[in-house]
């Protein structure tokens, strides 16, 4: 307890200076927060029933892991407490090219499975997408069902540690999708990322990505001309097959691992071109041993993927996907080269 001090009047100039200093400090913290990429098996607020699209295939995809109920523990810790290593088999280089499909409608819950038809030379006909060649081997995907996911956020910026709330809204109808991640903190405002695009045999095909804090910056995917165009004064970038943005890449990884988990043993490398509001770069994710996490929403087993920085000011990305939550992200840890970080921890899941 601090001892009370007598109320001493402060000169009006002093009070004005103090107020300005506080506001500037909060603004500096918000600007320092890195753009976030954006779940325990807790039942949704109401049943989530979606249309499922099954693609005819010459080789069926492996079934997604069976979900088992697990009751959340009281007063969980926000950090992983147990690491369960998996014996690493030989590393594999993974990619998910686009391929043609046959569509058979059926009904299902929670997920939509998309399995490609295998041919030696294939093309994809999709809105705003150009035809592209693909090898024989392709990666099946299983999309997580639409959901609203809430997170607790712990972060540090310029030596100041703070807490915030985050929400991931993921919606799709089997043909088009929208993802939105919003991180908000008291007195600091909010940062919002949005990804919109189409769905196909290879998973997500973003059309527009935006990042908004005080102002908005966007990247547009021009598939017809194989270019990424930026709203900022940034030169266009080449658009590679299977490219994602900094929000859709998390959901694409979830769809890949859910589509055929055995395809991604410990040590596997998944390379995806990842587009930000100003640039495009190849991100390499390495599959690491399984970990048991104790999160605000409960305990669950996860698959961890890590993207190591390649240059001096790159961000290190650590991502934990939960099979019991259709491989949706339950923890995302972004670490900057100066030690600042944003740690996003799963709190709850509900219908969108």
């Amino acid at each position: 307890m601090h001892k009370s001090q007598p109320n001493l009047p402060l000169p009006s100039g002093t009070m004005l200076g103090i107020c300005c200093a506080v506001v500037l400090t909060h603004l500096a913290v918000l600007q320092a927060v890195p753009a976030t990429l954006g779940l325990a098996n807790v039942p949704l607020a109401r049943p989530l029933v979606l249309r499922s699209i099954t693609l005819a295939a010459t080789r069926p995809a492996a079934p997604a892991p069976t979900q088992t109920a697990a009751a959340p523990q009281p007063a969980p810790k926000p950090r992983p407490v147990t690491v369960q290593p998996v014996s690493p088999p030989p590393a594999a280089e993974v990619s998910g090219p686009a391929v043609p499909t046959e569509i058979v409608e059926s009904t299902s819950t929670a997920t939509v499975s998309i399995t490609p038809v295998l041919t030696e030379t294939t093309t994809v006909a999709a809105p705003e997408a150009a035809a592209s060649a693909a090898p024989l081997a392709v990666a099946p995907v299983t999309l997580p069902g639409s959901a609203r996911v809430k997170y607790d956020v712990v972060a540090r910026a310029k030596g100041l540690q703070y807490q915030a709330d985050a929400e991931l809204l993921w919606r799709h109808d089997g043909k088009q999708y929208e993802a939105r991640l919003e991180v908000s903190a008291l007195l600091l405002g909010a940062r919002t990322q949005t990804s919109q695009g189409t769905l196909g045999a290879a998973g997500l095909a973003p059309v527009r990505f935006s990042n908004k804090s005080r102002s908005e910056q966007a990247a547009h995917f021009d598939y017809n001309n194989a270019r990424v165009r930026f709203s900022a004064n940034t030169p266009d970038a080449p658009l590679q097959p299977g490219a994602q943005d900094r929000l859709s890449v998390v959901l694409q990884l979830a769809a890949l691992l859910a589509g055929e988990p055995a395809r991604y043993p410990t040590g596997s490398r998944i390379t995806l071109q990842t587009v930000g509001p100003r640039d495009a770069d190849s991100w390499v994710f390495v599959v690491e041993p399984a970990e048991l996490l104790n999160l605000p929403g409960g305990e669950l087993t996860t698959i961890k993927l890590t993207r190591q920085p390649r240059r001096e000011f790159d961000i290190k990305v650590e991502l934990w996907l939960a099979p019991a939550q259709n491989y949706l992200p339950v923890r995302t840890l972004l670490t900057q080269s100066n030690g600042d970080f944003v740690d996003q921890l799963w709190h709850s899941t509900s219908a969108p």
Side-chain angles (χ1 to χ4, degrees), residues 2 38 55 90 99 129 133 138 154 158 224 230 273 309 313 320 327:
H2 295 284
L55 313 172
V99 295
V138 295
V154 179
K158 296 184 177 179
N224 292 326
F230 303 97
Q273 184 187 33
F313 297 106
W320 288 261
Y327 290 85

Side-chain angles (χ1 to χ4, degrees), residues 69-80:
Q73 297 185 357
K77 299 178 181 179
R79 298 286 180 177

Side-chain angles (χ1 to χ4, degrees), residues 11-338:
S12 59
T14 302
M15 290 298 295
L16 179 59
I18 293 174
C19 293
C20 291
V22 171
V23 172
L24 289 175
T25 300
H26 286 314
L27 289 175
V29 171
L30 178 59
Q31 284 299 104
V33 178
T36 310
L37 295 174
L39 299 158
N41 186 17
V42 178
L44 300 179
R46 57 186 175 84
L48 180 60
V49 180
L50 301 174
R51 295 177 58 197
S52 172
I53 297 181
T54 304
L55 313 172
T58 59
R59 184 183 66 188
T66 304
Q67 300 184 15
T68 58
Q73 297 185 357
K77 299 178 181 179
R79 298 286 180 177
V81 295
T82 304
V83 177
Q84 299 175 335
V86 177
S87 299
E93 189 72 30
V94 180
S95 61
V99 295
T101 62
E102 296 180 15
I103 299 177
V104 180
E105 295 190 2
S106 62
T107 58
S108 180
T109 60
T111 61
V112 175
S113 297
I114 300 181
T115 306
V117 177
L118 302 181
T119 57
E120 293 196 10
T121 303
T122 60
T123 58
V124 173
E128 301 187 35
S132 59
L136 179 62
V138 295
V141 297
T142 297
L143 300 171
S146 300
R148 185 186 303 272
V149 189
K150 294 183 180 294
Y151 302 90
D152 294 344
V153 178
V154 179
R156 183 177 66 207
K158 296 184 177 179
L160 298 177
Q161 188 158 326
Y162 66 93
Q163 295 182 339
D165 298 318
E167 178 182 280
L168 171 63
L169 179 61
W170 160 246
R171 296 183 294 190
H172 71 85
D173 60 5
K175 297 179 180 179
Q176 296 180 328
Y177 79 87
E178 178 183 10
R180 186 185 72 216
L181 177 65
E182 182 174 348
V183 181
S184 58
L186 184 64
L187 301 179
L188 299 181
R191 180 187 295 274
T192 303
Q193 289 187 339
T194 303
S195 176
Q196 297 173 317
T198 62
L199 299 173
L204 284 71
V207 173
R208 183 180 187 272
F209 169 72
S210 67
N211 182 76
K212 183 177 181 181
S213 180
R214 285 175 296 178
S215 60
E216 183 179 61
Q217 297 176 342
H220 301 267
F221 293 69
D222 183 355
Y223 292 97
N224 292 326
N225 296 297
R227 307 293 295 174
V228 180
R229 308 191 186 280
F230 303 97
S231 63
N233 294 325
T234 304
D236 294 352
L239 178 61
Q240 299 176 7
Q244 301 297 321
D245 57 57
R246 292 192 180 183
L247 180 55
S248 71
V249 66
V250 178
L251 297 160
Q252 177 70 0
L253 288 169
L256 287 170
L257 267 69
E260 189 176 352
R263 187 184 181 96
Y264 308 95
T266 301
S268 300
R269 298 162 61 88
I270 305 174
T271 301
L272 296 169
Q273 184 187 33
T274 303
V275 176
R278 289 177 174 269
D279 59 9
D281 194 12
S282 291
W283 284 16
V284 180
F285 291 88
V286 178
V287 179
E288 299 191 10
E291 291 189 13
L292 181 67
L293 300 188
N294 226 342
L295 299 166
E299 183 181 87
L300 69 161
T301 300
T302 63
I303 298 174
K304 183 182 179 183
L305 299 97
T306 300
R307 181 252 177 177
Q308 295 290 350
R310 298 193 304 169
R311 290 181 283 270
E312 182 180 0
F313 297 106
D314 279 357
I315 295 176
K316 180 181 180 180
V317 180
E318 296 173 87
L319 178 65
W320 288 261
L321 306 178
Q325 289 286 327
N326 297 321
Y327 290 85
L328 283 169
V330 294
R331 184 184 179 191
T332 304
L333 176 60
L334 308 177
T335 307
Q336 293 182 311
S337 58
N338 63 358

